[in-house]
Amino acid sequence: MTPPDPADPFGTAALRDGTLLAWQASPTRLREDTATESDLVRAGYRDRVLTELAQNAADAATRAGTAGAMRVWVGDDGLHVANTGAPLDGPGVQALTALRASAKTAGVGRFGVGFTAVLSVSDDIEIRSRTGSVRFSGERTRTVLREHDLTPPRSGVPVLRLAWPTAAPPVSGFDTEIVLRLRPDVDARALLGGFRDEVADLLLELPALGSVTIGGAEFTCVRTDLGDGIHEIAVAGRRWWEGEGPHARWLAPVGDTGEIAPVGDDVLRAPTRSDEELSLPVLVIADVPMQPDRRRLLPGARVDRIAEGYARFAASLPADQRIALVPVPGFARSEADGLLREAVLAELRTHPWLPAADGDDDLVPERATALDGLTEELAEALADVVPGLVAPALCSPRYASVLGAVDVHRIGPARIAELLTGLDRDPHWWCRLYDALEPLVVDSVVAEELASIPVPLSDGRLVTGPRTTVLGSDLGVGGPLALPWVRLVHPDAAHPLLARLGAGTVTAVDLLSDPALFAAVEDVDPDDADAAAELADTVLRLAEHVPAGALPRELGALLLPDTDGELVPADELLLPGAPLAAVLVDKSPFGTVDSETADRYAADSLRAVGVGWGFTVLRADLPTGPDHDLPDEEQWWDTVDTDPDTLVAVRDLDLVDETRWAQALSLLAADPDTASALADRDGYTAWWLRTYAVLDGQLLGRLRAPDDLTFEGLLDPCPHPDAEQLRACLAASAVDSTALAALLLERLADPNRHPTPAAVAAAHSALAGAYGAGVLDVTELDLPDAVRSIAGTVVDATDGLVPDRPWLAAVIPAERIVIGATATARALAELLDLPLASDAVSAEPTGPGRATEWSREPQAVLAAATAGVPLPRGPLTVHERLVVRCAGAVTGEHDVAWWVDRSGTTHCTAAGFAAAVASGGAGT
């Protein structure tokens, strides 16, 4: 055997001769090689430079039995990719030049057709190895073709068919180095950036690689054994839990919180990324037959085998993380995805991995049961009632579709009620069960499903359904109440859930709210004192612990004796010493309950049935109209845009003595129930007090809160010590009614009032705003003959002017200016029937100025910067002195700081820039 030539250890000369001989013998073969290589670059191996080189590096490490290291950097002569492991050998060189064949017998890939991926960035490739080096060159191949009278194809030449030996060794510390002399159109920096994005995937896909260095950044793969066949893999700051089956590896990403973050959108990796789209929650790295370019599965490939062992992987994970491995129901992304999803689901359905409620052995999903809303307490109660219960954490609606995908049998409350039928348990067990079931009853549907749940009775029977039973909880009369005419729930089993499911809860409030009781109250003969006393005794004993307002108004008809011995309805009586009596008119319809009755029963009991102490509060849910017997209720309903959800109103306000309102307001503010009604400005109580209550000779609605200075000098402050709590019952800071508007107009025209200019402007702004918003009924407004100027003077309305352009105010005497906000000037003028200044005054500058631009004037720029507003636009003329000649409602010549003429040009002096810029120049 002829020893290899040291200068050409891989016999590249003979390989070149053989290839050239084949091309000379068949020029078609040359075109075929060119087309084949081009097709591989443009199709099968596009965008796979690093992937293919990493596969070669991984295979080299496997063959050498070492952990592979790979380094990628850009040098002066191109892109360098070096790796450790088995060096280049003769079969490898032959595989490189064969184009259609690979020398690999095992591993991922070793210098087969995939190496053509490098041609996407380079036509000059050198492979340096410690056993010898070779170089491929498109330019050199063209030269050789011409030397052999072969015409290079127009589409190019097959770069990887002819190899030449070189003497360059690999970089120190590596066994093989590939140098790609990049084409001019290839951006090396962008190429390295793309490589960095691929590194994490490649380290996951190719376990033979331990580290990859891209430029100056090193990426390592750290593998930690967690036990139970699970490994944790850490790459580039991210973590994955890895499970392994006979034909695949699965990697579940783990987030910063230690929980699996399902993938949901990836591709099959065999072992590197293919074009087979997947929607599984894990990365799938499988040993499965692929087409030569490893982008698509071979027809007939056994995809289902990839799922073998997947359930074991799930079972090895923490119990609270396993459900994340179930594919979320949805459309498959590819045919392979559909087959693999179905295989994975079949694997999960038929193997034990699902956490059980009792925490013991894992469940096989198709034999497991999930109860919607299951809790730990309910699971414990149902442990021997419902076999195969899934862990409570998985029984929320969030996992319903996922559990359905693996055929977990789902049951609801109705099935639970059915399974409990005839169950022999002690009352305490039933109470614990009801307590555990209660969180499930979130709506009437669930309540209906539990309508047939068993209920133990005090006589030992077990009946079906709570609706025929009553609960005997403490009624405030010395213990449970004996009710022989109803099915009484055993005291040890009594639970609020039974009331929600239809059981009659025999509390004091429920008994006192029974329509049968109302009928009995109405049927009492006023002349039968004994019958009235007997019924009153029963009701008042039950009402002992019931707060006032908790019972129906109908109990106010209960007959009680007054101080004259007459039987009077309870809601027409007051307790002895009731503070309400001190504020009512002398001839109020209220009497006083007799002292003997007041001494015998608790005051709370008497108040619960309607006997008065202070003001009482009416609460009505979903009211629809003025049918609550409240004074002036119809007027209030006219102010309401939509019916309130709850009507809360203080009763009997119309019975207050007009001279005692200060005391009555103190009483209202001191009681939390009535105080809350005072705070609702749109509510009936605040409205009634604003409209009818009188304090110091003025309606409350005409007074302002002491700290509300909006209309200071126009409205008087409320003198009551509880003014802060009465704020909603006083005048608002805005004009919200025609009555308040009329009052402000009257006060503005009153020369005896001395509001500040700010209060005058605020009042005008509020009036104009209300008028513009359509709040006011102008037909009910009588305009005074006088108006208030910004100078604080009261002037004849015929002299007033409303400035609607800021510069006009400079020529109008302050005694004639009626102003609010410039934006609402027109509304104010219409409301007060005053002329707008722009309609009544005309003026133009009299002297010449210097035409310029805003951006050229330092003072203008400084003013805009200081005020934080944009620099105005439009024509600008600067004057040393600016005089305008006026005509109309104002005449004569006036010195002004700035002005805007009819053409839209802003005229300005040095002193006027700040105001002009703040007003936006001619744009205002």
Side-chain angles (χ1 to χ4, degrees):
M1 182 176 181
T2 304
D5 182 355
D8 187 10
F10 302 123
T12 59
L15 294 175
R16 288 196 307 277
D17 290 343
T19 300
L20 289 168
L21 183 62
W23 287 347
Q24 289 174 324
S26 176
T28 302
R29 177 65 180 272
L30 173 59
R31 291 194 297 273
E32 288 178 352
D33 285 353
T34 300
T36 299
E37 189 175 86
S38 177
D39 289 344
L40 290 171
V41 173
R42 287 186 290 104
Y45 292 97
R46 65 189 185 279
D47 303 325
R48 292 178 66 94
V49 176
L50 184 64
T51 298
E52 295 301 330
L53 296 181
Q55 287 181 338
N56 291 337
D59 188 58
T62 300
R63 292 172 61 192
T66 62
M70 185 175 177
R71 178 186 169 200
V72 182
W73 72 98
V74 175
D76 294 338
D77 55 347
L79 179 71
H80 293 248
V81 182
N83 65 268
T84 60
L88 183 65
D89 56 15
V93 174
Q94 293 172 12
L96 284 167
T97 61
L99 187 63
R100 296 173 179 82
S102 171
K104 79 167 183 176
T105 59
V108 175
R110 184 63 177 163
F111 296 127
V113 292
F115 191 73
T116 58
V118 301
L119 297 180
S120 64
V121 297
S122 175
D123 295 329
D124 190 338
I125 302 101
E126 184 176 3
I127 304 176
R128 302 169 180 173
S129 189
R130 57 183 172 81
T131 55
S133 304
V134 296
R135 183 171 182 175
F136 299 91
S137 169
E139 185 59 35
R140 196 166 180 180
T141 298
R142 289 186 185 88
T143 301
V144 170
L145 290 176
R146 294 188 186 97
E147 291 173 353
H148 288 75
D149 297 326
L150 292 171
T151 302
R154 292 182 180 179
S155 58
V157 296
V159 177
L160 296 181
R161 292 290 277 123
L162 302 182
W164 286 269
T166 68
V171 67
S172 176
F174 291 88
D175 298 301
T176 303
E177 177 185 2
I178 298 172
V179 182
L180 305 178
R181 294 169 177 85
L182 302 176
R183 289 195 297 270
D185 61 338
V186 176
D187 185 339
R189 184 181 300 274
L191 194 63
L192 282 185
F195 287 173
R196 289 190 186 94
D197 295 338
E198 297 180 54
V199 167
D201 282 333
L202 290 172
L203 288 172
L204 293 175
E205 296 161 351
L206 304 171
L209 281 181
S211 68
V212 177
T213 302
I214 305 291
E218 182 179 8
F219 301 86
T220 60
C221 179
V222 180
R223 186 182 178 91
T224 305
D225 189 348
L226 301 181
D228 292 333
I230 301 298
H231 291 84
E232 181 175 275
I233 298 178
V235 177
R238 298 175 58 195
R239 294 185 297 150
W240 289 262
W241 285 336
E242 178 194 49
E244 190 169 356
H247 306 286
R249 295 162 52 223
W250 309 285
L251 292 102
V254 182
D256 295 337
T257 60
E259 296 182 350
I260 290 176
V263 178
D265 184 8
D266 199 60
V267 294
L268 175 65
R269 300 156 189 258
T272 56
R273 296 173 66 88
S274 71
D275 287 347
E276 298 288 0
E277 294 188 37
L278 299 182
S279 60
L280 294 179
V282 295
L283 303 182
V284 181
I285 304 173
D287 179 13
V288 60
M290 303 292 290
Q291 294 181 11
D293 59 8
R294 291 193 295 280
R295 288 187 178 271
R296 295 289 180 187
L297 289 166
L298 278 176
R302 290 285 305 279
V303 177
D304 58 317
R305 298 176 64 189
I306 297 176
E308 292 181 19
Y310 190 83
R312 186 170 61 253
F313 174 39
S316 301
L317 295 176
D320 61 344
Q321 298 292 301
R322 299 176 189 175
I323 198 69
L325 263 62
V326 180
V328 176
F331 293 107
R333 297 184 181 274
S334 64
E335 180 181 2
D337 186 34
L339 294 172
L340 185 52
R341 284 171 60 92
E342 192 52 47
V344 166
L345 289 172
E347 168 86 4
L348 291 174
R349 291 185 190 109
T350 56
H351 291 80
W353 63 272
L354 194 61
D358 58 13
D360 294 335
D361 295 338
D362 295 330
L363 303 174
V364 176
E366 63 181 9
R367 296 197 296 270
T369 300
L371 171 61
D372 292 338
L374 183 68
T375 62
E376 297 288 350
E377 295 76 14
L378 185 55
E380 181 181 354
L382 297 176
D384 58 349
V385 178
V386 183
L389 269 178
V390 175
L394 301 180
C395 289
S396 69
R398 171 184 175 187
Y399 300 112
S401 60
V402 177
L403 294 180
V406 291
D407 289 350
V408 173
H409 178 53
R410 301 189 68 84
I411 64 173
R415 178 57 178 162
I416 294 298
E418 181 181 344
L419 293 172
L420 291 170
T421 301
L423 198 64
D424 184 15
R425 294 289 188 276
D426 64 74
H428 287 288
W429 184 90
W430 286 104
C431 188
R432 290 194 300 272
L433 174 66
Y434 300 148
D435 193 60
L437 283 172
E438 189 172 25
L440 270 63
V441 187
V442 295
D443 53 34
S444 59
V445 176
V446 178
E448 189 61 34
E449 290 188 54
L450 289 174
S452 62
I453 192 171
V455 180
L457 302 182
S458 57
D459 59 7
R461 290 180 297 156
L462 187 70
V463 298
T464 300
R467 290 177 180 170
T468 61
T469 68
V470 293
L471 293 163
S473 59
D474 189 359
L475 303 176
V477 290
L481 189 66
L483 300 174
W485 42 273
V486 295
R487 291 182 169 186
L488 183 63
V489 176
H490 195 290
D492 293 338
H495 192 278
L497 174 64
L498 299 178
R500 296 177 62 187
L501 298 180
T505 54
V506 191
T507 63
V509 172
D510 293 324
L511 280 180
L512 295 176
S513 301
D514 194 328
L517 174 60
F518 307 154
V521 169
E522 291 179 356
D523 289 342
V524 170
D525 185 352
D527 295 328
D528 189 346
D530 292 338
E534 183 178 355
L535 180 59
D537 180 70
T538 301
V539 171
L540 292 174
R541 288 176 60 205
L542 286 170
E544 183 174 352
H545 301 293
V546 176
L551 296 181
R553 292 164 50 195
E554 289 82 354
L555 284 183
L558 183 70
L559 296 179
L560 298 174
D562 66 5
T563 53
D564 296 328
E566 298 292 331
L567 290 177
V568 180
D571 58 9
E572 297 179 13
L573 293 170
L574 299 177
L575 286 168
L580 181 61
V583 300
L584 298 182
V585 294
D586 293 336
K587 294 185 178 180
S588 75
F590 288 100
T592 302
V593 70
D594 80 307
S595 58
E596 184 180 349
T597 301
D599 292 339
R600 182 182 304 164
Y601 302 105
D604 287 341
S605 297
L606 292 165
R607 293 181 65 181
V609 298
V611 177
W613 175 257
F615 287 99
T616 58
V617 178
L618 165 72
R619 287 180 173 82
D621 293 328
L622 302 177
T624 57
D627 54 0
H628 303 90
D629 196 25
L630 295 169
D632 308 298
E633 185 178 1
E634 290 187 4
Q635 295 180 41
W636 173 73
W637 276 95
D638 290 339
T639 69
V640 177
D641 294 330
T642 58
D643 295 346
D645 293 335
T646 303
L647 171 62
V648 180
V650 176
R651 288 185 170 278
D652 305 319
L653 294 174
D654 59 326
L655 298 179
V656 175
D657 188 309
E658 189 169 308
T659 64
R660 303 172 184 172
W661 268 114
Q663 186 178 352
L665 292 173
S666 296
L667 186 60
L668 288 166
D671 186 331
D673 285 342
T674 54
S676 64
L678 298 180
D680 182 6
R681 171 166 286 276
D682 296 326
Y684 166 83
T685 303
W687 169 84
W688 197 96
L689 291 173
R690 287 197 304 271
T691 308
Y692 296 104
V694 177
L695 195 63
D696 282 2
Q698 293 193 68
L699 292 174
L700 277 187
R702 292 183 166 220
L703 300 173
R704 63 178 174 84
D707 61 349
D708 183 358
L709 305 181
T710 307
F711 303 132
E712 184 181 16
L714 297 173
L715 301 182
D716 296 328
C718 176
H720 197 278
D722 296 315
E724 178 60 32
Q725 288 179 269
L726 298 172
R727 181 179 292 271
C729 308
L730 304 175
S733 298
V735 176
D736 58 358
S737 69
T738 303
L740 181 56
L743 177 63
L744 288 174
L745 290 173
E746 175 189 335
R747 298 282 176 84
L748 285 165
D750 184 355
N752 295 318
R753 292 275 173 175
H754 303 286
T756 63
V760 172
H764 284 149
S765 295
L767 286 165
Y771 173 75
V775 172
L776 308 182
D777 183 355
V778 293
T779 62
E780 295 184 6
L781 286 176
D782 292 327
L783 295 180
D785 295 331
V787 292
R788 182 78 63 162
S789 73
I790 196 64
T793 58
V794 176
V795 297
D796 192 280
T798 58
D799 292 332
L801 290 174
V802 178
D804 54 332
R805 300 289 186 268
W807 56 88
L808 292 172
V811 299
I812 304 172
E815 292 76 11
R816 298 184 63 185
I817 295 177
V818 179
I819 193 169
T822 303
T824 58
R826 184 168 297 276
L828 180 62
E830 290 181 6
L831 174 62
L832 300 181
D833 195 19
L834 298 178
L836 287 170
S838 61
D839 295 334
V841 178
S842 62
E844 288 296 320
T846 61
R850 173 173 54 86
T852 182
E853 296 177 2
W854 291 97
S855 60
R856 294 182 180 276
E857 297 302 313
Q859 290 174 295
V861 174
L862 177 61
T866 303
V869 298
L871 196 66
R873 297 183 179 181
L876 172 66
T877 299
V878 177
H879 299 258
E880 290 293 330
R881 178 188 177 202
L882 179 57
V883 178
V884 293
R885 181 177 295 113
C886 301
V890 178
T891 60
E893 293 187 350
H894 298 266
D895 278 273
V896 296
W898 71 292
W899 196 263
V900 178
D901 64 21
R902 283 176 296 202
S903 70
T905 299
T906 301
H907 298 262
C908 200
T909 67
F913 273 119
V917 168
S919 298
T924 301

